[in-house]
């Protein structure tokens, strides 16, 4: 494929077809009677779900030499099965409507069958000319024309034009803009993961400048907490953890790589460089230390140390993890499916898989470092200036002792001291290839010990997505270039969809992990392509993309929803209202700590161990001494949650309960559940009980001169807005009741306010503090508190 | 639990169940349908007492309504417990014949050994019950229920190391990431009790240190509400269950009322039904604060029952205590109860260690079966006892007259089942004289899993979940039913 982003004027015709098809109603699935059938939305999914198993890309499983995943198969002219315009003359239609079990397609014994609606859709598609389109995500990005919606003045940028045009075509209207306090909180949580301080929120509301919103956007993007917010999500993609993940689950040190990610985001590293440095920083000319650290991305995979494990087996598994992660994160493809056979749905052959593996198979790394703890080679040591100096002194002392032939025990002591200090200097695992590349072979059924040695393979990209260009090195650097090539249809789309998903809770493509044939097509295909093209045109500038999205009118809508619109569009795929979704796990805790004034805002550094119920590690640990959970104290206890120590075999329950993944494998999209365990956690976890107490202390100290004023302050600190009169009434009633309870039971009051390690503010009446603590706990448990809306 | 609180919680429960919820116009039942423990109601195909699960399940009438999986982690030695080999008793120390080993891969823990001396068990075997099932002296209590159990001596697996092997048994794949059996069952069949999780996990440590991992009872790519919830020994059996000190149940109730009122006000502003679901989750959490302590409160258990399980039953977190809890969970309609007892990995010093493992587990395992049986619950409770692979006939390390170790052995291992549709008092399968190869009726892990599903009323090929564009299931693309073990 060599087409670049094509000038708009040449595509009007194609665009009209696409837009016409999009005028059809929003919901995926079979089109309604009388509508134009959209091949991609209506027909292709039927074929892929029901036919590709036997008539798809998998050559071995293919029956009757028929491929229905390609135009050249479905619309073949030699022994045609489809007669365009005439379903009654099409063998395909005959077979899907046959009742003879020998002729019927899909065959009854396959377990698949078409519904009447699906059969009708296929029939109508044939009648309407059997127009074939390649899978949308494999076609190059062609920048679409920005539509002109009917309603003037609403759209602030092209994002809005696409969304509004679609809403209008369905007879719908966008929502009103969100109120200032709501919008400011949404923006702050999205861009930094922290709400605005009360004063800042109030200043924003009082600001009368017309560009106050843009200023706020700029300020938030410039905050070092922005890098933390972005890193938080990226760590899921990169499967970052602080332990190895198998059996004894030894600890490892990868936080310096996490720090690199935060720095990279704060420096607004363009995405193309961000990708290249992580995949191939070590292969760049004269790589800097930073660029080598970046390659830790692909050393985050789980590793095995269990005695008895086979080195070669795990060299393969490590490589497979890197393939799957790289393909999922940057291409949105489920390449792992092609490990044991040709992909059943996407045009990825098993040979493609093992050629792709060639990029990751030459690492200068053992498959198993048996029972070895900590970081293993290849790695790089990261001494500070002071470390370097000290190490030099210790080295000198050892040399001097040797030179003057000091007694053995003295030499041993100095050597030990030097070695121990050296071991204490943090290191990080990085990528480094062995001097000679290792060839790969197709592994029969994916088994490490079944290589097909008749064919040594060269590293390359899948054939259907075009191979590496000539002259491009056949290594990870070449892979990076291929990913970023102009004609790669996936990388930019996947990248912009990730950012979109972050802001709206769901991507334009819902299945961020699968842009292949079995994934979901985009809700707004032109918008996606426009964003992808724009992103590249902006030089892959990530902050600019954020700015474009959050300054749009679409983003700034209120999230309130009427029942009728809710019934029609429960997931807000039409974007006719603002986003509203529960905060990710890390931000649930960050938000509470911030509101309570407990959050330690230091950026970067080693992982921390916050409060955790006793004995969790001990319960599951073996005898290898990985058991005791040594909780942090002091400021470390209250650092942001992205720094929480991630032990793969015993995920922290506070995070796991709110759907944070275990980080065993790469995950590019989180679930968002709503469970009683979350309720229990938010009510009873000492983290939140302490936060409630601290919040209560703050408002008692300087939240106002009346209890009503104090309650208002409490509300503002947690939610960024003042309570409505009715809300205030509930809070006041509750406070009154609890004051009575705790005045009568000083013992209970003393217990409640004694939770958590942070020191107590002196001079506060315990009963009043307890009553306010309980009220603060209520406020911290509000749905609105843990939701971005 | 005091009378008043008990009455209040029961009244509240009934109130909520009968009248729907006071907020908005959505009934509590459909709220729970979104995302609580009792998710997605299935109507018309099952009892009104059941919550969640998929429409159309069970596929056929179940024999078992619930499962208690007594997983013995570390791989109990079949040679010293279940698989007597009199033919080699006189052949201690001979080299394992190549004709027997047939190139079986060994772990690197023994592959470097210069010799592989045959180590017959030093324990004697006796016949038990009318069935005459032969079991070793170490598990005489299990001998006492020989006529209730179905013993499989021909289990086999592909994995040779713990992590992949346990993962394989639990999830149907050696590579981690897939949902565990309990999660599949919770997803497909839901629960009989809306106040307790559908899938509960109980852990106990053994005599050797072997790690385990949360993902063994995880939900994989299934929605996370189906994951196993650990019930821990000690004060707070469910994490974060207890109110903080100084917060009484009355205060908590008031706080929840305020919370509900505020959330309701916000719901009227926002219109997002998730808000109402959240309120329902708080109510469910509140109910669990009663249902869980009620579950773990043994004060009403008669001494005779406690004696049945043995002295450890009073030690929270012990295997015996967990077995008694398992019975109580079964009584309360929890669908999938899984115990993990660690410490069976006897690479060395086997005779001494396995004695202690059996002392910790034998009586309670048998007690559980007897206890369920006398309550009439055995018929519809499926119990499984077994580990992740077998152990080698050859000694790992030095073989002496009274000591030996055994390495991992995937080609055959033993496992027993009882209750829920299983044919009692029978044994299936045979291994060769060295308990090395199966000579009759092999049963793969996938086959066992398919059969467990079948007994629960589920066609393992039809309980699937679309992920990465493909319909996954517990048994992947494998699994044949084992009719010989079904009653």
């Amino acid at each position: 494929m060599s087409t670049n982003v094509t000038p708009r004027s040449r595509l009007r015709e194609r665009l009209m077809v696409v837009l016409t098809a999009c005028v059809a109603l929003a919901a995926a699935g079979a089109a309604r009677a009388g509508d134009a059938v959209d091949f991609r939305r209506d027909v292709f999914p039927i074929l892929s779900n029901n036919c590709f198993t036997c008539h798809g890309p998998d050559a071995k499983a293919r029956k009757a030499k028929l491929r229905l995943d390609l135009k050249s198969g479905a619309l073949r002219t030699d022994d045609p099965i489809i007669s365009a315009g005439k379903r009654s003359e099409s063998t395909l239609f005959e077979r899907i409507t046959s009742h003879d079990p020998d002729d019927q397609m899909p065959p009854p014994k396959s377990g698949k069958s078409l519904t009447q609606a699906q059969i009708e859709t296929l029939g109508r598609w044939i009648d309407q000319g059997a127009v074939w389109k390649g899978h949308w995500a494999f076609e190059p990005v062609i920048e679409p024309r920005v539509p002109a919606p009917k309603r003037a003045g609403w759209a602030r940028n092209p994002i809005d034009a696409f969304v509004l045009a679609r809403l209008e075509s369905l007879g719908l209207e966008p929502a009103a803009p969100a109120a200032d306090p709501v919008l400011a909180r949404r923006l702050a949580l999205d861009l930094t993961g922290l709400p605005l301080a009360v004063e800042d929120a109030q200043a924003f509301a009082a600001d009368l400048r017309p560009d106050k919103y843009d200023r706020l956007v700029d300020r938030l993007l410039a905050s070092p907490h922005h890098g933390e917010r972005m890193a938080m999500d990226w760590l899921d993609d990169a499967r970052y953890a602080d332990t190895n993940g198998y059996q004894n689950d030894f600890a490892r040190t990868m936080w310096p790589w996490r720090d690199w990610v935060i720095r990279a985001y704060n420096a607004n590293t363009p995405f193309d460089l961000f990708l290249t440095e992580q995949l191939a920083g070590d292969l760049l000319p004269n790589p800097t230390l930073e660029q080598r650290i970046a390659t830790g991305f692909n050393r985050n995979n789980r590793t095995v140390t269990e005695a008895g494990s086979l080195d070669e087996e795990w060299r393969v598994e490590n490589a497979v993890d890197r393939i799957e992660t790289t393909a999922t994160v940057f291409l949105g493809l489920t390449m792992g499916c092609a490990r044991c056979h040709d992909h059943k749905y996407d045009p990825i052959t098993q040979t493609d898989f093992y050629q792709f593996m060639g990029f990751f198979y030459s690492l200068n790394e053992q498959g198993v470092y048996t029972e070895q703890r900590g970081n293993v080679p290849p790695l790089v040591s990261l001494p500070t200036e002071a470390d370097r100096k000290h190490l030099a002194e210790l080295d000198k002392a050892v040399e001097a002792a040797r030179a003057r032939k000091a007694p053995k025990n003295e030499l041993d002591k100095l050597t030990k001291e030097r070695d121990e200090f050296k071991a204490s200097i943090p290191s990080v695992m990085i990528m480094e290839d062995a001097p000679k590349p290792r060839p790969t072979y197709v592994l029969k059924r994916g088994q490490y010990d079944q290589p097909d040695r008749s064919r040594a393979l060269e590293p390359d990209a899948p054939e259907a997505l075009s191979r590496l260009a000539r002259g491009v090195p056949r290594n990870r650097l070449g892979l990076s270039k291929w990913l970023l090539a102009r004609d790669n249809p996936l990388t930019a789309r996947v990248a912009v969809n990730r950012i979109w998903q972050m802001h709206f809770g769901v991507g334009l493509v819902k299945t961020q992990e699968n842009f292949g044939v079995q994934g979901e097509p985009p809700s707004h295909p032109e918008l996606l392509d426009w964003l992808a093209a724009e992103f590249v045109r902006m030089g892959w500038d990530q902050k600019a993309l954020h700015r474009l999205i959050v300054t749009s009118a679409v983003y700034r809508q209120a999230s309130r929803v009427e029942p009728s619109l809710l019934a029609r569009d429960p997931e807000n795929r039409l974007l006719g209202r603002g986003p509203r979704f529960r905060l990710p796990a890390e931000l649930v805790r960050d938000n509470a700590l911030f509101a309570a004034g407990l959050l330690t805002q230091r950026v970067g550094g080693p992982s921390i161990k916050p409060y955790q119920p006793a004995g969790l590690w001990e319960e599951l640990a073996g005898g290898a001494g990985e058991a005791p959970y040594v909780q942090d104290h002091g400021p470390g206890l209250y650092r942001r949650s992205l720094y929480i120590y991630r032990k793969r075999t015993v995920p922290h329950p506070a995070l796991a309960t709110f759907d944070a993944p275990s980080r065993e494998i790469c995950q590019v999209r989180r679930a968002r559940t709503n469970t009683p365990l979350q309720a229990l956690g938010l009510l009873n976890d000492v983290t939140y009980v302490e936060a409630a107490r601290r919040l209560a202390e703050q408002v008692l100290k300087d939240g106002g001169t009346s209890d009503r004023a104090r309650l208002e302050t409490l509300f503002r600190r947690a939610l960024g807005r003042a309570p409505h009169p009715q809300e205030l009434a509930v809070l006041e009633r509750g406070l009154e009741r609890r004051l009575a309870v705790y005045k009568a039971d000083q013992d209970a009051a003393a217990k409640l306010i004694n939770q958590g390690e942070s020191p107590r503010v002196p001079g506060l009446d315990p009963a009043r503090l307890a009553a306010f603590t309980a009220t603060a706990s209520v406020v911290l448990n509000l749905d609105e508190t843990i939701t971005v809306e | 639990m005091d009378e008043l609180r008990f009455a209040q919680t029961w009244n509240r429960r009934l109130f909520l169940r009968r009248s729907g919820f006071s907020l908005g116009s959505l009934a509590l039942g459909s709220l729970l349908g979104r995302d609580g423990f009792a998710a997605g109601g299935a109507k018309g195909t099952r009892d009104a007492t059941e919550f969640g699960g998929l429409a159309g399940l069970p596929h056929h009438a179940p024999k078992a309504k619930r499962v208690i999986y007594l997983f013995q982690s570390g791989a109990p030695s079949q040679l010293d417990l279940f698989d007597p080999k009199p033919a080699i008793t006189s052949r201690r120390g001979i080299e394992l014949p190549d004709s027997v080993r047939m190139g079986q891969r060994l772990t690197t823990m023994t592959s470097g050994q210069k010799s592989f001396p045959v180590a017959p068990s030093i324990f004697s075997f006796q016949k038990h019950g009318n069935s005459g099932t032969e079991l070793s002296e170490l598990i005489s209590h299990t001998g006492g229920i020989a006529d209730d159990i179905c013993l499989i001596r021909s289990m086999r697996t592909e994995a040779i190391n713990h992590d992949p092997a346990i993962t394989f048994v639990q999830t149907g794949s050696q590579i981690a990431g897939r949902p565990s059996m309990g999660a599949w069952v919770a997803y497909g069949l839901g629960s009989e009790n809306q106040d307790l999780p559908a899938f509960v996990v109980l852990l106990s440590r053994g005599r050797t240190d072997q790690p385990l991992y949360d993902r063994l009872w995880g939900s994989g790519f299934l929605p996370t509400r189906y994951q196993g919830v650990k019930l821990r020994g000690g004060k707070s059996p469910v994490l974060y269950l207890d109110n903080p000190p100084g917060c009484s149940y009355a205060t908590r109730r008031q706080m929840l009322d305020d919370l509900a009122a505020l959330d309701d006000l916000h719901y009227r502003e926002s219109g997002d039904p998730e808000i109402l679901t959240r309120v329902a989750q708080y109510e469910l959490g509140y109910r669990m604060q009663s249902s869980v302590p009620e579950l773990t409160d043994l004060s009403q258990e008669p001494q005779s029952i406690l004696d049945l399980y043995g002295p450890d039953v009073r030690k929270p977190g012990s295997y015996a205590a967990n077995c008694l809890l398992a019975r109580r969970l079964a009584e309360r309609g929890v669908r999938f109860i899984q115990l993990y007892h660690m410490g069976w990995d006897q690479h060395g010093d086997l005779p001494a260690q396995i004695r202690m493992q059996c002392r910790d587990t034998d009586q309670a395992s048998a007690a559980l079966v007897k206890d369920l049986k006398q309550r009439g619950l055995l018929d519809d409770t499926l119990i499984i006892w077994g580990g992740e692979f077998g152990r080698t006939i050859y000694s790992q390390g030095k073989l002496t007259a009274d000591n030996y170790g055994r390495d991992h052995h995937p080609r055959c291992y033993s496992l027993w089942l009882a209750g829920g549709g299983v044919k009692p008092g029978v044994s299936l399968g045979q291994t060769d004289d060295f308990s090395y190869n199966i000579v009759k009726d092999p049963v793969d892990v996938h086959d066992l899993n398919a059969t467990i599903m079948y007994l629960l009323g589920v066609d393992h090929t039809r309980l699937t979940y679309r992920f990465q564009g493909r319909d996954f299931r517990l048994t992947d693309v494998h699994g044949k039913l084992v009719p010989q073990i079904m009653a």
Side-chain angles (χ1 to χ4, degrees), chain A residues 443-455:
Chain A
L443 299 179
K444 292 186 203 132
R445 296 304 295 179
Q447 300 228 140
Y448 80 97
D449 58 349
Q450 303 277 324
D452 175 3
R453 288 197 188 276
S454 69
R455 227 178 10 139

Side-chain angles (χ1 to χ4, degrees), chain A residues 370-412:
Chain A
T370 304
E371 300 300 335
Q372 196 170 322
R373 296 168 192 260
N375 285 358
V376 293
L379 49 77
V380 65
S381 180
L382 301 169
T384 61
E385 240 341 278
D387 287 339
R388 254 186 269 269
K389 269 214 188 107
H390 191 56
L391 185 59
E393 282 164 18
L394 293 174
D395 273 335
K396 267 230 273 300
V398 170
E399 283 319 302
R402 206 170 272 145
R404 64 180 152 83
K405 299 196 172 48
K408 183 174 185 299
N409 62 334
E410 192 187 328
L411 184 58
D412 282 349

Side-chain angles (χ1 to χ4, degrees), chain A residues 707-708 711 714-715 725-743 752 767-779, chain B residues 247-248 250-262 265:
Chain A
D707 277 353
R708 171 171 293 193
L711 288 172
L714 195 156
F715 208 82
Q726 287 168 301
E727 293 171 326
L728 199 50
V730 173
L731 290 170
E732 283 183 312
R733 265 202 326 269
L735 179 65
E736 218 179 280
R737 273 203 294 262
R738 286 184 271 283
L739 280 168
V741 165
Y742 284 113
K743 279 207 174 82
L752 183 64
R768 279 179 59 73
L769 180 54
F772 268 89
T773 298
T775 298
S777 172
V778 170
V779 173
Chain B
C247 180
S248 67
T251 301
R252 175 60 84 226
R253 185 64 256 165
Q254 279 176 18
M255 287 168 68
L256 290 180
D257 289 340
D258 288 350
L259 189 56
L262 289 166
L265 287 170

Side-chain angles (χ1 to χ4, degrees), chain A residues 96-110:
Chain A
I96 63 175
T97 49
S98 166
H99 294 293
D100 181 342
D102 290 331
D103 283 349
Q104 185 184 343
M105 281 293 142
K109 66 174 194 277
S110 70

Side-chain angles (χ1 to χ4, degrees), chain A residues 247 560 614 621 664 684 783, chain B residues 205 213 215 232 252 269:
Chain A
Q247 198 61 356
R560 173 193 176 71
E664 289 171 294
N684 299 327
D783 178 273
Chain B
R205 301 202 66 91
Y213 356 100
R215 60 174 145 83
R232 314 171 68 213
R252 175 60 84 226
E269 279 264 316

